[in-house]
């Protein structure tokens, strides 16, 4: 059999076949063998060294050779937990299974030695490794020294395509695909000058590295390529936009803005808010399309700025929409805008996935006729039936979630010219990075909080002192306050995280029993209606405690909730912790944020907790975040998630980003339309689509 072409169906790869091919398509969007090649591992298991039990305090992930000691079951009935003791010459550790215990028991024998790989947990009662991967001891002499780890799904896993199954496929793929047919995206002059390996070579090494250096070089090449593509496309479009120079010209702020400003403004604007509004009004008067990023820490007052901007649009006869990433957030915006507008003769509506048909029809027709001037919504606003008569302004509350490609779909909804765009972001990334990241946007900053805010007091409590937490919660509840208790939710270990939450909730029930206390529980496994009910119960004050996964991160606003407890805080990044903390401190009471962690913490985790306890300044925190997360952090988060980057991370890869940016600038400066023959590949490249994401033309 000859080699497979990149565009061959993945079905023809040895070990796949029709059934698995169908699953790969459905679950991961992998159609061709090239798609599979572009499905990158998110981590590697380092098979070059084994850890010992003694070292477990100092590592997050461990690869151990352990002999099996006692095997026991704890708990009862539906929450049975299998605990297996494993030991080496330095100590003993518990290996724990919350489910699938039978399968493990069949596989494992007391007194024998196996290899285990997993994440180390420290829950106060000692070290454990939940759901480790198991391998026979004899496998260790395998030829690969770094094993790629892929994310998989339950369905794929049930057909043998868990991470290791996928690794076997990509290994076979590297033998069978014709690498000579893999397209190159970067011209030779760039490859040479930046010492990059070819795309084909990097795609091979990313799945099948022999050394740590292979991984680094392949990752570098792919990350650079991605960052560069993004920068180049952005600058290309920006330069085209500047040349075309179109945009609605709004020369006045209009009567409704002035009315509102004089009679309905509920508070004096801060200096920063006033400055930002002037900057925005300047854009709208310029005759060019506004593309502005409004950055401000949580609670800095971006909503009123958005509203004032929308009122300028209305005053000039245009419609505006405000798009939020989640239903909850859209609802929240809708409520606060409606409240602000109550004295004005101006209607506002909300459109989301759950808007009922009759209401939807009515809204759509009023939008089309132009009677409805302001609409708030979710992605539902992007759907085809949504037609505006005269869309002039798009406000996007980004809060991590919106991709560039979604932004651009709104553009197509405006006729004649591009609508003005205002993007609000609370993601505190350093200014320099924001400029790079949002390189095609102008930036306004609200760098001042409204007056009278009490600083949130942040405290770090270790698991061993958990009683202190419960006591504190009881005191606060007795004073009439409400408490959030948040658990991390990380995709890769979603099931475990929910079990974690469940355990925490059970424990909490013991200390906060009915009928004196009521606890709401919210997590991603609940149906929307259940979620809504639980949220409402808390929002209405009928529950004093809300236990939740990070869903509330962009969610509820309950001023009476003045305590934020973050469980497993060591597992969150700094910025995310800061965002979560921003959920409290909205009301008049003193607010608190309690960071709960394991008793023993790594140096970095400890440093993160210290920073949070010491400052409330989002930008300071972002700078620290950048400083602490040096390059080479394989676990690199998509937390910054401002654009859909598959392999790179603007924080971790900021050095690469700077150089990609500089290169893109140089190229666009010399060849703004990329018409020169040496840039032929580049012109194709910026037009090409990512594997999963349909990038439309960005602004
Ligand atoms: P964010 O920037 O996080 O979106 P919001 O717009 O939701 O912040 O504002 C947070 C809170 O601060 C709201 O309750 C809002 O009414 C209030 N607020 C905003 N600006 C001011 C101001 N200038 N003076 C007093 N309160 C303000
Ligand atoms: Mg907001």
């Amino acid at each position: 059999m000859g080699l497979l072409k990149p565009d061959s169906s993945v079905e023809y790869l040895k070990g796949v076949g029709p059934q698995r091919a169908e699953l790969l398509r459905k679950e991961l969007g992998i159609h061709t063998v090239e798609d599979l090649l572009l499905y990158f591992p998110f981590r590697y298991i380092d098979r070059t060294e084994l850890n010992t039990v003694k070292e477990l305090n100092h590592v997050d992930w461990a690869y151990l050779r352990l002999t099996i000691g006692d095997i026991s079951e704890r708990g009862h009935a539906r929450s049975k937990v299998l605990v297996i003791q494993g030991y080496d010459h330095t100590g003993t550790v518990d290996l724990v299974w919350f489910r699938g215990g039978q399968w493990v028991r069949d596989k494992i024998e007391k007194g024998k030695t196996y290899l285990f790989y997993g994440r180390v947990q420290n829950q106060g009662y000692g070290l454990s490794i939940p759901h480790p991967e198991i391998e026979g001891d004899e496998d260790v002499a395998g030829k690969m020294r770094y094993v790629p780890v892929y994310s998989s799904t339950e369905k794929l896993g049930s057909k043998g395509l868990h991470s290791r199954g996928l690794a076997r496929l990509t290994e076979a793929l590297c033998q069978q695909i014709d690498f000579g047919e893999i397209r190159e995206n970067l011209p030779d002059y760039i490859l040479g000058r930046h010492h990059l390996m070819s795309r084909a070579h990097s795609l091979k090494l990313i799945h099948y590295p022999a050394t740590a250096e292979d991984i680094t070089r392949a990752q570098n090449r792919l990350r650079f390529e991605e960052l560069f593509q993004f920068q180049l496309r952005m600058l290309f479009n920006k330069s085209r936009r500047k040349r075309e120079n179109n945009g609605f010209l709004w020369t006045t702020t209009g009567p409704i803005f002035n009315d509102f400003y004089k009679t309905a403004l509920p508070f004096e604007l801060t200096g920063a808010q006033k400055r930002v509004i002037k900057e925005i009004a300047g854009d709208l008067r310029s005759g060019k399309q506004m593309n502005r990023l409004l950055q401000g820490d949580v609670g800095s007052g971006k909503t009123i700025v958005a509203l004032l901007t929308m009122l300028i649009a209305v005053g000039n006869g245009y419609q505006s929409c405000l798009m939020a990433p989640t239903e909850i957030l859209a609802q929240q915006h809708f409520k606060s805008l409606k409240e602000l507008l109550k004295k004005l003769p101006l209607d506002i509506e909300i459109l989301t996935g759950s808007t009922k048909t009759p209401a939807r029809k009515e809204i759509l027709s009023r939008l089309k006729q132009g009677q409805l001037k302001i609409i708030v919504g979710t992605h539902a606003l992007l759907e085809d039936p949504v037609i505006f008569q005269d869309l002039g302004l798009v406000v996007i509350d980004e809060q991590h979630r919106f991709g560039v490609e979604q932004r651009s779909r709104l553009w197509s909804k405006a006729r004649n010219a591009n609508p003005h765009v205002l993007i609000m972001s609370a993601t505190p990334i350093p200014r320099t990075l924001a400029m790079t990241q949002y390189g095609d946007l102008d930036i306004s900053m609200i760098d001042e909080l409204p007056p009278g805010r009490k600083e949130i007091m942040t405290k770090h409590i270790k698991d061993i002192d958990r009683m202190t937490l419960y006591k504190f919660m009881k005191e606060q509840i007795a004073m009439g306050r409400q408490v959030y208790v948040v658990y991390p939710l990380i995709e890769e270990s979603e099931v475990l995280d929910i079990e974690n939450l469940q355990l925490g909730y059970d424990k909490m029930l013991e200390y906060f029993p009915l009928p004196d206390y009521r606890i709401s529980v919210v997590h991603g496994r609940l149906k929307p209606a259940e979620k809504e009910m639980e949220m409402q119960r808390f929002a209405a004050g009928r529950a004093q405690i809300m236990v939740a996964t990070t869903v509330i991160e962009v969610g509820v606003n309950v001023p009476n909730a003045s305590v934020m407890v973050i469980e497993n805080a060591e597992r969150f990044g700094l910025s995310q912790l800061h965002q979560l903390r921003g959920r409290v401190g909205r009301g008049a009471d003193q607010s608190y944020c309690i960071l709960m962690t394991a008793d023993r913490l790594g140096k970095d985790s400890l440093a993160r907790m210290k920073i949070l306890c010491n400052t409330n300044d989002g930008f300071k925190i972002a700078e620290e975040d950048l400083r602490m997360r040096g390059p080479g952090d394989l676990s690199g988060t998509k937390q910054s998630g401002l654009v859909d980057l598959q392999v790179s991370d603007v924080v971790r890869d900021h050095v690469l980003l700077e150089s990609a940016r500089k290169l893109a600038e140089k190229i666009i400066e010399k060849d703004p339309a990329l018409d020169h023959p040496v840039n032929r590949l580049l012109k194709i490249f910026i037009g090409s689509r990512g594997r999963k994401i349909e990038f439309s033309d960005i602004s």
Side-chain angles (χ1 to χ4, degrees), residues 82 113 152 164 181 247 251 267 354 403 427 442 488 541 551 596 621 690:
L82 174 67
T113 303
S152 179
R164 291 189 53 211
E181 293 279 319
T251 47
F267 36 68
S354 62
T427 312
D442 299 308
V551 286
M596 293 301 295
I621 288 168

Side-chain angles (χ1 to χ4, degrees), residues 273 276-277 280 294 301-309 422 446:
Q273 285 169 323
V276 161
I277 288 162
I280 290 170
L294 174 58
K302 294 184 287 295
T303 313
I304 192 83
V305 174
L307 178 62
L308 286 165
T309 311
L422 183 67
I446 307 187

Side-chain angles (χ1 to χ4, degrees), residues 267-270 273 297-303 450-451 453 586:
F267 36 68
E268 170 87 10
L269 295 181
T270 62
Q273 285 169 323
D297 213 344
V298 254
S300 61
K302 294 184 287 295
T303 313
R453 288 279 168 83
R586 301 286 176 103

Side-chain angles (χ1 to χ4, degrees), residues 438-641:
Y438 291 105
D440 61 337
L441 306 180
D442 299 308
I443 298 182
S444 289
M445 294 266 278
I446 307 187
D447 48 9
E448 181 186 351
L449 288 180
R453 288 279 168 83
K454 288 206 181 74
E455 286 256 300
I456 300 166
M457 282 177 60
T458 304
K459 210 169 151 39
H460 173 201
I461 298 182
K462 293 181 175 177
D463 209 53
I464 196 168
D465 297 322
R466 184 163 283 277
M467 288 306 135
T468 322
L469 168 71
Y470 291 155
K471 190 164 154 273
F472 177 72
M473 284 170 63
K474 282 195 171 154
E475 284 165 13
Q476 290 292 311
I477 291 170
M479 288 162 71
R481 314 279 186 268
Q482 288 167 283
V483 181
Y484 296 112
V485 180
V486 179
Y487 284 82
L489 183 64
I490 293 170
E491 260 170 77
E492 172 193 330
S493 60
E494 189 182 343
V495 179
L496 276 181
D497 287 327
I498 291 192
E499 270 155 13
N500 230 345
L501 176 145
Q502 199 64 41
L503 288 177
Y505 171 65
D506 289 346
K507 206 186 293 175
M508 209 157 282
L509 279 176
E510 276 173 43
Y511 291 93
F512 298 93
L514 287 165
D516 294 348
Y517 298 97
R518 275 182 190 280
I519 307 179
S520 282
V521 189
V522 185
H523 57 74
R525 291 287 166 87
L526 295 181
K527 299 208 179 72
E530 294 171 313
K531 219 188 273 182
E532 183 62 29
M533 204 179 75
E534 295 281 315
M535 294 256 196
Q536 282 307 332
R537 207 148 65 101
F538 185 74
R542 277 179 281 122
Q544 299 96 331
I545 301 173
M546 178 153 109
V547 176
T549 51
T550 36
V551 286
I552 62 161
E553 186 183 339
V554 289
V556 291
N557 187 11
V558 180
N560 190 49
S562 58
V563 182
M564 169 65 69
V565 178
I566 305 175
E567 294 282 354
N568 300 112
E570 69 272 27
R571 287 177 54 192
F572 289 98
L574 266 181
S575 299
Q576 211 180 359
L577 288 168
H578 179 66
Q579 291 279 317
L580 283 169
R581 175 166 66 177
R583 288 285 118 205
V584 295
R586 301 286 176 103
D589 310 314
Q590 177 61 52
S591 295
Y592 301 89
C593 174
I594 313 288
L595 306 167
M596 293 301 295
T597 69
D599 299 337
R600 274 177 285 192
L601 284 183
K603 204 169 74 206
D604 284 357
S605 303
L606 199 60
R608 286 208 300 277
M609 300 308 127
K610 277 226 176 89
I611 292 166
L612 282 161
C613 291
N614 289 338
T615 180
N616 271 301
D617 180 337
F619 288 91
K620 227 184 243 163
I621 288 168
E623 299 283 358
E624 288 291 341
D625 203 10
L626 178 64
R627 202 178 51 75
M628 291 182 59
R629 296 165 59 192
D633 166 13
L634 270 182
S635 71
T637 61
K638 300 238 156 144
Q639 239 179 62
S640 45

Side-chain angles (χ1 to χ4, degrees), residues 164-185:
R164 291 189 53 211
L166 288 167
R168 272 193 290 272
L169 285 191
T170 54
E171 186 179 337
L173 178 65
C174 288
Q175 314 299 328
Q176 291 174 49
I177 193 171
D178 185 354
F179 278 103
E181 293 279 319
I182 297 280
R183 189 183 73 240
E184 182 51 78
N185 288 326

Side-chain angles (χ1 to χ4, degrees), residues 49-59 62-66 88-93 120 127:
E49 267 178 76
L50 284 169
N51 300 107
T52 59
V53 171
K54 207 173 100 198
E55 291 166 2
L56 293 185
N57 277 322
H58 311 292
V59 296
Y63 185 39
L64 297 157
R65 176 191 273 126
L66 300 173
D88 63 12
H89 65 285
T90 66
T92 304
V93 61
V120 183
L127 291 172

Side-chain angles (χ1 to χ4, degrees), residues 657-668:
L657 175 60
E658 302 286 342
S659 94
R661 170 82 180 183
K662 277 203 193 106
L663 177 64
E665 277 171 356
K666 233 194 275 170
I667 291 171
I668 291 293

Side-chain angles (χ1 to χ4, degrees), residues 143-273:
K143 53 187 180 312
M144 286 176 71
R145 308 179 68 194
Y146 287 88
V147 179
V149 182
Y150 301 88
S151 51
S152 179
T153 67
E154 218 166 284
K155 276 196 186 140
L156 282 166
S158 72
K159 289 277 179 277
L161 294 181
H162 33 65
S163 172
R164 291 189 53 211
L166 288 167
R168 272 193 290 272
L169 285 191
T170 54
E171 186 179 337
L173 178 65
C174 288
Q175 314 299 328
Q176 291 174 49
I177 193 171
D178 185 354
F179 278 103
E181 293 279 319
I182 297 280
R183 189 183 73 240
E184 182 51 78
N185 288 326
L186 303 175
D188 285 342
Y189 78 90
I190 295 182
L191 293 181
R193 205 175 301 161
H194 289 259
H195 310 289
L196 299 170
M197 61 171 71
S198 73
R199 179 159 180 269
H201 195 197
S202 67
L203 290 177
K204 179 167 187 180
L205 291 187
I206 201 84
H207 296 287
Y208 200 78
T211 63
E213 202 200 326
D214 283 352
I215 299 176
T216 314
R217 288 193 58 213
Q219 282 178 333
N220 260 351
R221 147 80 210 212
L222 295 167
R223 287 171 183 165
F224 181 86
E225 172 179 307
E226 180 174 72
L227 292 166
F228 174 68
Q229 180 187 35
F230 189 79
Q231 290 297 324
L232 189 69
R233 187 189 276 148
M234 199 159 65
L235 293 175
F236 178 83
N237 288 323
K238 184 178 183 182
S239 119
R240 195 179 55 192
R241 200 172 65 223
K242 286 262 150 82
R243 268 173 284 154
E244 288 169 358
N245 194 28
N246 57 346
F248 300 118
L249 176 66
W250 296 344
T251 47
T252 110
T253 50
I256 192 143
F257 176 99
N258 297 332
D259 249 18
F260 179 83
Y261 208 96
K262 278 192 214 112
T263 67
L265 202 59
F267 36 68
E268 170 87 10
L269 295 181
T270 62
Q273 285 169 323

